[in-house]
Amino acid sequence: MPRLYLIDGTALAYRSFFAFASSPRGGLSTKEGRPTGAVYGFVQTLRALLDREHPDHVVVSFDGAREGLARTKLYAEYKSTRAKMPDELVPQLGLIEQVVDAFGIPVVKSDVHEADDVIGTLAVQARAAGMEVFIVTGDKDFMQIVDDKVKLWNLRTSTRAPEIIGTKEVKAKFGVEPRQIVDLLALMGDSSDNVPGVPKVGEKTATELLHQFGSLEAILTHTDEVKKPAIRASLEAHVDDARLSQKLVTLHTDVELPCRVTELPAIRPKRAELEAIFRELEFDSLLASLPVDATAAEAIAVDYRVVQTEAELHDLVAELRRLDGVAIAAEASAPEPRRAELLGLAFALAPGVARFVPCAAQATLQSLSRSAVLAALRPLLEDADVPKFCADAKHDMAVLRRAGITLRGVRGDTMLASYCLTPGQGSHQLEALALRILGLKKMDAAGSGTGKRQRTFADIDVDQAGKAHAEAADFVLRLIPRLHAELDSAGVTDLYRDLELPLVPVLLDMEWDGIAIDRDHLGKLSRAWQQRIERIERRIYERAGVEFNLNAPAQIGEVLFDKLEVHRAAGIGRPRRTPTGKYKTDHTILEQLAPHHEVPELILEYRQLSKLKSTWVDALPDLVDPDTGRVHTTFNQAVAATGRLSSDNPNLQNIPIRTEEGREVRRAFVPRAKDWVLLSADYSQIELRILAHMADEPALIDSFRKEEDIHARTAALVHGLLPNMVTPELRNQAKIINYGLIYGMGASRLAQETGLRPPEAKKFIDAYFKALPRVKSYLDDTLHAAREQLFVTTLFGRKRPLPEIQSSNAMQRIAAENMAVNTPIQGTAADIVKRAMLRLHAALAKSKVSARLLLQVHDELVLDVPRDEADVVKGLVRDAMEGAADLRVPLQVSLSTGANWLEAH
């Protein structure tokens, strides 16, 4: 039996729009700020349906103009209570129709009838033609035509597990037959569509009436038999409303349409059109999911070969020497380059022309061993005068370092170029960039370069892998000039060339060195914390009066709210629930409850300790490299939109330092030898100093130049006091607002953090800005510029796009406004730290000391230093960090050494 899927396009567009508008990621948009969330969500649902159901036919219908609809003519107030369509959704409807057409799916609309009526008409036609029909919607109005051949594919549930609604499900949900749904809806009314219904008649009463009388008409002609006086009176007074409502909710299944269901074409996606739309809207993942277009691939003239002889290798090196620059791609045996073998190198000679050189121990070049292949390539790779271009220079440099080659002369990195252009927006990986910019899909490397298994050369198809990596080098060669031109146009070439690219070898050295850990300390902590966790468990069970799973939120909720009723003591009203009906027991909820009962307080302690133990104490020993005996984190340049570095495996940014337990974790990081120490160098109040510089605020500048207590000085200015009259409480309030302003803090947040009443907090902020007027002007000017330009910049020219700052969604707009204020300051701090790292790395090398720069965590640098070099290195560190930027206020650095990271910090 042929299957037809009828999609309520308007409903799906709205659903997709609000799904992304309310998600943690916020509304999707292109780098120019064009909203795309509704289109993306629509496509994802459509693809899920096609992939899951493989329908014979699909039709999408959209509503026409409301004022021209038949129901509006019948009742002018129909749907008048609906909010105006969001401004950001309006332009996406046309794009959605383009996408539907590109999928080879017809759009059927009517000028005088809603999408519901179009769908109802097609459903009835299809049923008569012997088709099985699924209506893709969450609208209960369609239940009136449900039967054994017409069912609903409910949009309100996951597309991975849709709810199919037939006759049985309608009866289970509403207690009436599908043919009675119209009368049920007429009695109930519908506030969302402004269908009046009958006052005082809700779903339960309407169902009871239909059970008793069978139909709306029977009810209205026998109102004297209705038992409840109030219901009887309401029915008698609203007969006309009930009949009007019945007409409004009845689907028109005889709408004149431009085509009949028997004339529907088969689904034939138009790949080129889909590709163009996805590229235009920057849907990289959707582009990657499109099947390869063999015709288009054949139209691209490429010459990818695997070098097979010694003569070919020497000819290649000679030819590469004659080029203005060399694009390379390294093939490794594992994702972690420090543990990987170099399997081969690809070189691009010209657009579409590239070669792959096998470099593994089992290399098959005639008469050449691995060492001979590397010897032939080494002079070229280590020649700093030969420009090199990579997709991820740090990865390629690491793989080559592992093979004994130091890659020099890197002049381009597609990942970093893309990151400097659009931080925080889209993927910067080569595959995504090739799709987005070149319109080319990367071929499958036949298993090379992915997965956790350590592979040898024999594990891969040399020809297939070689051509795939040759293609990667080719993509790099094609992308670099385009990206570099965009960098020039955007004014961020200096940031890319003078800061991000030179930082790559610095980060690689830091990763390569790694940091030692004290396994004995971690072992003792693990045992002690396990005993403490067990004591907390016993105490929780004792106070709760029952044993339950402390790692099961549902069981925690039942104990707290059903058994102990802690919320009543806390005075927080009805407990909040998750969408699945379970009680919410997240950190915020437990913190609200903790002051009122010991159990939520202990659960918070249990969670914190358990997480620290599993994430750090028990996990760190497993991360120790067996060859070096140290932990080697990975630093990521192209992740944080502010320009900050991040790290993973392990993520050193996440070690808590405000709790005693977190500090004990830091104690586990130690020097590499007994006669070495760790040196911690931490910028003092760098963000406030940057604020003083950018705002050009005389009071702050004067205070920093005099090395005063900035928070006490601020409190004195705000309250009109002498500095020695400032109390610790007033100083703390000033400290909170000094830092809070950078993150968009308002009066309500200040009140929460200080205990002030909201009016007092507002008064404090007003007094703050009166005392420091240039700070206020700077913040206002920054916001104004961001709204006009849709981006903000740091002191060193780093740009962060903020298209959401003009969003009609208040949450997105406010978040973007906070970013607009914070990014220039936090991003400038990140740039200064990176500049300091470059200066320090060079100074350490020039002075020929043994000290090593190991870690960067926010505003702090950590070094491994021989004890007898400590004084010299401190001088080098201070000079490098305090000279990293020329501000109106001095940069200050706190330096200290210790036998572990905690002592040093």
Side-chain angles (χ1 to χ4, degrees), residues 95-118:
L95 291 169
I96 288 173
E97 287 202 38
Q98 290 180 37
V99 167
V100 173
D101 179 69
F103 268 102
I105 295 170
V107 173
V108 181
K109 294 191 289 188
S110 169
D111 293 334
V112 296
H113 290 280
E114 294 176 83
D116 293 12
D117 300 317
V118 173

PDB file of all heavy atoms in Angstrom, residues 95-118:
ATOM      1  N   LEU A  95      12.817  30.463   2.541  1.00  0.00           N
ATOM      2  CA  LEU A  95      13.945  29.531   2.456  1.00  0.00           C
ATOM      3  C   LEU A  95      13.492  28.097   2.678  1.00  0.00           C
ATOM      4  O   LEU A  95      13.968  27.168   2.023  1.00  0.00           O
ATOM      5  CB  LEU A  95      15.006  29.907   3.495  1.00  0.00           C
ATOM      6  CG  LEU A  95      15.771  31.203   3.248  1.00  0.00           C
ATOM      7  CD1 LEU A  95      16.582  31.579   4.488  1.00  0.00           C
ATOM      8  CD2 LEU A  95      16.699  31.056   2.042  1.00  0.00           C
ATOM      9  N   ILE A  96      12.546  27.911   3.607  1.00  0.00           N
ATOM     10  CA  ILE A  96      12.028  26.570   3.877  1.00  0.00           C
ATOM     11  C   ILE A  96      11.330  26.019   2.636  1.00  0.00           C
ATOM     12  O   ILE A  96      11.493  24.843   2.283  1.00  0.00           O
ATOM     13  CB  ILE A  96      11.083  26.597   5.094  1.00  0.00           C
ATOM     14  CG1 ILE A  96      11.893  26.813   6.381  1.00  0.00           C
ATOM     15  CG2 ILE A  96      10.280  25.307   5.193  1.00  0.00           C
ATOM     16  CD1 ILE A  96      11.054  27.033   7.616  1.00  0.00           C
ATOM     17  N   GLU A  97      10.553  26.863   1.959  1.00  0.00           N
ATOM     18  CA  GLU A  97       9.900  26.402   0.725  1.00  0.00           C
ATOM     19  C   GLU A  97      10.931  26.025  -0.330  1.00  0.00           C
ATOM     20  O   GLU A  97      10.760  25.054  -1.066  1.00  0.00           O
ATOM     21  CB  GLU A  97       8.947  27.489   0.197  1.00  0.00           C
ATOM     22  CG  GLU A  97       7.683  27.636   1.033  1.00  0.00           C
ATOM     23  CD  GLU A  97       6.549  28.289   0.266  1.00  0.00           C
ATOM     24  OE1 GLU A  97       6.394  28.001  -0.931  1.00  0.00           O
ATOM     25  OE2 GLU A  97       5.818  29.108   0.866  1.00  0.00           O
ATOM     26  N   GLN A  98      12.028  26.788  -0.407  1.00  0.00           N
ATOM     27  CA  GLN A  98      13.096  26.442  -1.352  1.00  0.00           C
ATOM     28  C   GLN A  98      13.699  25.081  -1.023  1.00  0.00           C
ATOM     29  O   GLN A  98      13.986  24.276  -1.913  1.00  0.00           O
ATOM     30  CB  GLN A  98      14.191  27.507  -1.322  1.00  0.00           C
ATOM     31  CG  GLN A  98      13.804  28.847  -1.925  1.00  0.00           C
ATOM     32  CD  GLN A  98      14.959  29.834  -1.843  1.00  0.00           C
ATOM     33  OE1 GLN A  98      16.120  29.479  -1.999  1.00  0.00           O
ATOM     34  NE2 GLN A  98      14.638  31.091  -1.588  1.00  0.00           N
ATOM     35  N   VAL A  99      13.917  24.841   0.283  1.00  0.00           N
ATOM     36  CA  VAL A  99      14.478  23.563   0.719  1.00  0.00           C
ATOM     37  C   VAL A  99      13.542  22.419   0.356  1.00  0.00           C
ATOM     38  O   VAL A  99      13.966  21.372  -0.156  1.00  0.00           O
ATOM     39  CB  VAL A  99      14.748  23.581   2.236  1.00  0.00           C
ATOM     40  CG1 VAL A  99      15.022  22.174   2.734  1.00  0.00           C
ATOM     41  CG2 VAL A  99      15.929  24.471   2.558  1.00  0.00           C
ATOM     42  N   VAL A 100      12.252  22.600   0.627  1.00  0.00           N
ATOM     43  CA  VAL A 100      11.275  21.553   0.322  1.00  0.00           C
ATOM     44  C   VAL A 100      11.292  21.237  -1.171  1.00  0.00           C
ATOM     45  O   VAL A 100      11.307  20.070  -1.577  1.00  0.00           O
ATOM     46  CB  VAL A 100       9.860  21.991   0.771  1.00  0.00           C
ATOM     47  CG1 VAL A 100       8.813  20.985   0.300  1.00  0.00           C
ATOM     48  CG2 VAL A 100       9.798  22.124   2.291  1.00  0.00           C
ATOM     49  N   ASP A 101      11.319  22.277  -1.995  1.00  0.00           N
ATOM     50  CA  ASP A 101      11.366  22.068  -3.443  1.00  0.00           C
ATOM     51  C   ASP A 101      12.653  21.345  -3.847  1.00  0.00           C
ATOM     52  O   ASP A 101      12.644  20.464  -4.714  1.00  0.00           O
ATOM     53  CB  ASP A 101      11.266  23.413  -4.164  1.00  0.00           C
ATOM     54  CG  ASP A 101      11.324  23.255  -5.675  1.00  0.00           C
ATOM     55  OD1 ASP A 101      10.362  22.722  -6.253  1.00  0.00           O
ATOM     56  OD2 ASP A 101      12.347  23.655  -6.269  1.00  0.00           O
ATOM     57  N   ALA A 102      13.780  21.720  -3.207  1.00  0.00           N
ATOM     58  CA  ALA A 102      15.054  21.077  -3.532  1.00  0.00           C
ATOM     59  C   ALA A 102      15.058  19.604  -3.129  1.00  0.00           C
ATOM     60  O   ALA A 102      15.768  18.796  -3.730  1.00  0.00           O
ATOM     61  CB  ALA A 102      16.200  21.818  -2.849  1.00  0.00           C
ATOM     62  N   PHE A 103      14.268  19.235  -2.137  1.00  0.00           N
ATOM     63  CA  PHE A 103      14.139  17.831  -1.753  1.00  0.00           C
ATOM     64  C   PHE A 103      13.247  17.069  -2.740  1.00  0.00           C
ATOM     65  O   PHE A 103      13.069  15.861  -2.613  1.00  0.00           O
ATOM     66  CB  PHE A 103      13.563  17.699  -0.339  1.00  0.00           C
ATOM     67  CG  PHE A 103      14.603  17.625   0.741  1.00  0.00           C
ATOM     68  CD1 PHE A 103      14.894  18.725   1.519  1.00  0.00           C
ATOM     69  CD2 PHE A 103      15.297  16.448   0.965  1.00  0.00           C
ATOM     70  CE1 PHE A 103      15.857  18.660   2.515  1.00  0.00           C
ATOM     71  CE2 PHE A 103      16.257  16.367   1.964  1.00  0.00           C
ATOM     72  CZ  PHE A 103      16.544  17.480   2.743  1.00  0.00           C
ATOM     73  N   GLY A 104      12.679  17.783  -3.711  1.00  0.00           N
ATOM     74  CA  GLY A 104      11.802  17.141  -4.683  1.00  0.00           C
ATOM     75  C   GLY A 104      10.426  16.868  -4.130  1.00  0.00           C
ATOM     76  O   GLY A 104       9.730  15.940  -4.573  1.00  0.00           O
ATOM     77  N   ILE A 105      10.005  17.678  -3.169  1.00  0.00           N
ATOM     78  CA  ILE A 105       8.709  17.498  -2.509  1.00  0.00           C
ATOM     79  C   ILE A 105       7.796  18.648  -2.912  1.00  0.00           C
ATOM     80  O   ILE A 105       8.188  19.812  -2.807  1.00  0.00           O
ATOM     81  CB  ILE A 105       8.891  17.458  -0.984  1.00  0.00           C
ATOM     82  CG1 ILE A 105       9.696  16.227  -0.582  1.00  0.00           C
ATOM     83  CG2 ILE A 105       7.543  17.484  -0.265  1.00  0.00           C
ATOM     84  CD1 ILE A 105      10.137  16.203   0.860  1.00  0.00           C
ATOM     85  N   PRO A 106       6.569  18.353  -3.364  1.00  0.00           N
ATOM     86  CA  PRO A 106       5.665  19.439  -3.763  1.00  0.00           C
ATOM     87  C   PRO A 106       5.114  20.208  -2.566  1.00  0.00           C
ATOM     88  O   PRO A 106       4.880  19.641  -1.499  1.00  0.00           O
ATOM     89  CB  PRO A 106       4.540  18.717  -4.504  1.00  0.00           C
ATOM     90  CG  PRO A 106       4.564  17.326  -3.979  1.00  0.00           C
ATOM     91  CD  PRO A 106       5.997  17.026  -3.635  1.00  0.00           C
ATOM     92  N   VAL A 107       4.953  21.521  -2.752  1.00  0.00           N
ATOM     93  CA  VAL A 107       4.276  22.374  -1.781  1.00  0.00           C
ATOM     94  C   VAL A 107       2.896  22.682  -2.339  1.00  0.00           C
ATOM     95  O   VAL A 107       2.770  23.180  -3.470  1.00  0.00           O
ATOM     96  CB  VAL A 107       5.049  23.683  -1.541  1.00  0.00           C
ATOM     97  CG1 VAL A 107       4.236  24.630  -0.660  1.00  0.00           C
ATOM     98  CG2 VAL A 107       6.391  23.396  -0.902  1.00  0.00           C
ATOM     99  N   VAL A 108       1.866  22.359  -1.576  1.00  0.00           N
ATOM    100  CA  VAL A 108       0.490  22.596  -2.013  1.00  0.00           C
ATOM    101  C   VAL A 108      -0.152  23.585  -1.055  1.00  0.00           C
ATOM    102  O   VAL A 108      -0.165  23.361   0.166  1.00  0.00           O
ATOM    103  CB  VAL A 108      -0.323  21.284  -2.060  1.00  0.00           C
ATOM    104  CG1 VAL A 108      -1.749  21.555  -2.554  1.00  0.00           C
ATOM    105  CG2 VAL A 108       0.365  20.271  -2.966  1.00  0.00           C
ATOM    106  N   LYS A 109      -0.672  24.675  -1.594  1.00  0.00           N
ATOM    107  CA  LYS A 109      -1.273  25.724  -0.768  1.00  0.00           C
ATOM    108  C   LYS A 109      -2.596  26.174  -1.378  1.00  0.00           C
ATOM    109  O   LYS A 109      -2.885  25.916  -2.546  1.00  0.00           O
ATOM    110  CB  LYS A 109      -0.336  26.933  -0.646  1.00  0.00           C
ATOM    111  CG  LYS A 109       0.938  26.667   0.108  1.00  0.00           C
ATOM    112  CD  LYS A 109       1.692  27.957   0.421  1.00  0.00           C
ATOM    113  CE  LYS A 109       2.308  28.578  -0.809  1.00  0.00           C
ATOM    114  NZ  LYS A 109       3.184  29.726  -0.450  1.00  0.00           N
ATOM    115  N   SER A 110      -3.373  26.874  -0.553  1.00  0.00           N
ATOM    116  CA  SER A 110      -4.622  27.473  -1.014  1.00  0.00           C
ATOM    117  C   SER A 110      -4.659  28.921  -0.570  1.00  0.00           C
ATOM    118  O   SER A 110      -4.210  29.251   0.530  1.00  0.00           O
ATOM    119  CB  SER A 110      -5.828  26.720  -0.431  1.00  0.00           C
ATOM    120  OG  SER A 110      -7.029  27.439  -0.653  1.00  0.00           O
ATOM    121  N   ASP A 111      -5.197  29.784  -1.425  1.00  0.00           N
ATOM    122  CA  ASP A 111      -5.281  31.202  -1.075  1.00  0.00           C
ATOM    123  C   ASP A 111      -6.366  31.484  -0.050  1.00  0.00           C
ATOM    124  O   ASP A 111      -6.308  32.491   0.657  1.00  0.00           O
ATOM    125  CB  ASP A 111      -5.560  32.042  -2.333  1.00  0.00           C
ATOM    126  CG  ASP A 111      -4.383  32.019  -3.295  1.00  0.00           C
ATOM    127  OD1 ASP A 111      -3.248  31.818  -2.819  1.00  0.00           O
ATOM    128  OD2 ASP A 111      -4.605  32.195  -4.504  1.00  0.00           O
ATOM    129  N   VAL A 112      -7.367  30.614   0.042  1.00  0.00           N
ATOM    130  CA  VAL A 112      -8.510  30.903   0.919  1.00  0.00           C
ATOM    131  C   VAL A 112      -8.694  29.875   2.024  1.00  0.00           C
ATOM    132  O   VAL A 112      -9.582  30.028   2.864  1.00  0.00           O
ATOM    133  CB  VAL A 112      -9.818  31.014   0.100  1.00  0.00           C
ATOM    134  CG1 VAL A 112      -9.739  32.189  -0.848  1.00  0.00           C
ATOM    135  CG2 VAL A 112     -10.097  29.727  -0.669  1.00  0.00           C
ATOM    136  N   HIS A 113      -7.869  28.833   2.037  1.00  0.00           N
ATOM    137  CA  HIS A 113      -8.003  27.813   3.072  1.00  0.00           C
ATOM    138  C   HIS A 113      -6.663  27.588   3.762  1.00  0.00           C
ATOM    139  O   HIS A 113      -5.595  27.753   3.154  1.00  0.00           O
ATOM    140  CB  HIS A 113      -8.501  26.498   2.487  1.00  0.00           C
ATOM    141  CG  HIS A 113      -9.937  26.548   2.037  1.00  0.00           C
ATOM    142  ND1 HIS A 113     -10.994  26.426   2.905  1.00  0.00           N
ATOM    143  CD2 HIS A 113     -10.469  26.731   0.793  1.00  0.00           C
ATOM    144  CE1 HIS A 113     -12.127  26.521   2.234  1.00  0.00           C
ATOM    145  NE2 HIS A 113     -11.834  26.712   0.949  1.00  0.00           N
ATOM    146  N   GLU A 114      -6.745  27.198   5.018  1.00  0.00           N
ATOM    147  CA  GLU A 114      -5.538  26.945   5.798  1.00  0.00           C
ATOM    148  C   GLU A 114      -4.861  25.645   5.364  1.00  0.00           C
ATOM    149  O   GLU A 114      -5.459  24.805   4.681  1.00  0.00           O
ATOM    150  CB  GLU A 114      -5.898  26.856   7.285  1.00  0.00           C
ATOM    151  CG  GLU A 114      -6.395  28.149   7.872  1.00  0.00           C
ATOM    152  CD  GLU A 114      -6.823  27.967   9.322  1.00  0.00           C
ATOM    153  OE1 GLU A 114      -5.940  28.010  10.193  1.00  0.00           O
ATOM    154  OE2 GLU A 114      -8.021  27.799   9.570  1.00  0.00           O
ATOM    155  N   ALA A 115      -3.636  25.501   5.814  1.00  0.00           N
ATOM    156  CA  ALA A 115      -2.894  24.275   5.535  1.00  0.00           C
ATOM    157  C   ALA A 115      -3.651  23.058   6.060  1.00  0.00           C
ATOM    158  O   ALA A 115      -3.618  21.986   5.452  1.00  0.00           O
ATOM    159  CB  ALA A 115      -1.504  24.351   6.165  1.00  0.00           C
ATOM    160  N   ASP A 116      -4.357  23.213   7.182  1.00  0.00           N
ATOM    161  CA  ASP A 116      -5.138  22.100   7.745  1.00  0.00           C
ATOM    162  C   ASP A 116      -6.139  21.563   6.727  1.00  0.00           C
ATOM    163  O   ASP A 116      -6.312  20.346   6.580  1.00  0.00           O
ATOM    164  CB  ASP A 116      -5.894  22.556   8.989  1.00  0.00           C
ATOM    165  CG  ASP A 116      -4.978  22.893  10.152  1.00  0.00           C
ATOM    166  OD1 ASP A 116      -3.755  22.996   9.918  1.00  0.00           O
ATOM    167  OD2 ASP A 116      -5.469  23.067  11.270  1.00  0.00           O
ATOM    168  N   ASP A 117      -6.834  22.467   6.028  1.00  0.00           N
ATOM    169  CA  ASP A 117      -7.855  22.056   5.072  1.00  0.00           C
ATOM    170  C   ASP A 117      -7.237  21.423   3.836  1.00  0.00           C
ATOM    171  O   ASP A 117      -7.763  20.462   3.281  1.00  0.00           O
ATOM    172  CB  ASP A 117      -8.703  23.267   4.670  1.00  0.00           C
ATOM    173  CG  ASP A 117      -9.393  23.900   5.871  1.00  0.00           C
ATOM    174  OD1 ASP A 117      -9.910  23.146   6.716  1.00  0.00           O
ATOM    175  OD2 ASP A 117      -9.399  25.136   5.973  1.00  0.00           O
ATOM    176  N   VAL A 118      -6.086  21.973   3.399  1.00  0.00           N
ATOM    177  CA  VAL A 118      -5.377  21.382   2.267  1.00  0.00           C
ATOM    178  C   VAL A 118      -4.967  19.960   2.609  1.00  0.00           C
ATOM    179  O   VAL A 118      -5.165  19.018   1.825  1.00  0.00           O
ATOM    180  CB  VAL A 118      -4.147  22.225   1.894  1.00  0.00           C
ATOM    181  CG1 VAL A 118      -3.314  21.519   0.834  1.00  0.00           C
ATOM    182  CG2 VAL A 118      -4.567  23.606   1.410  1.00  0.00           C
TER     183      VAL A 118
END
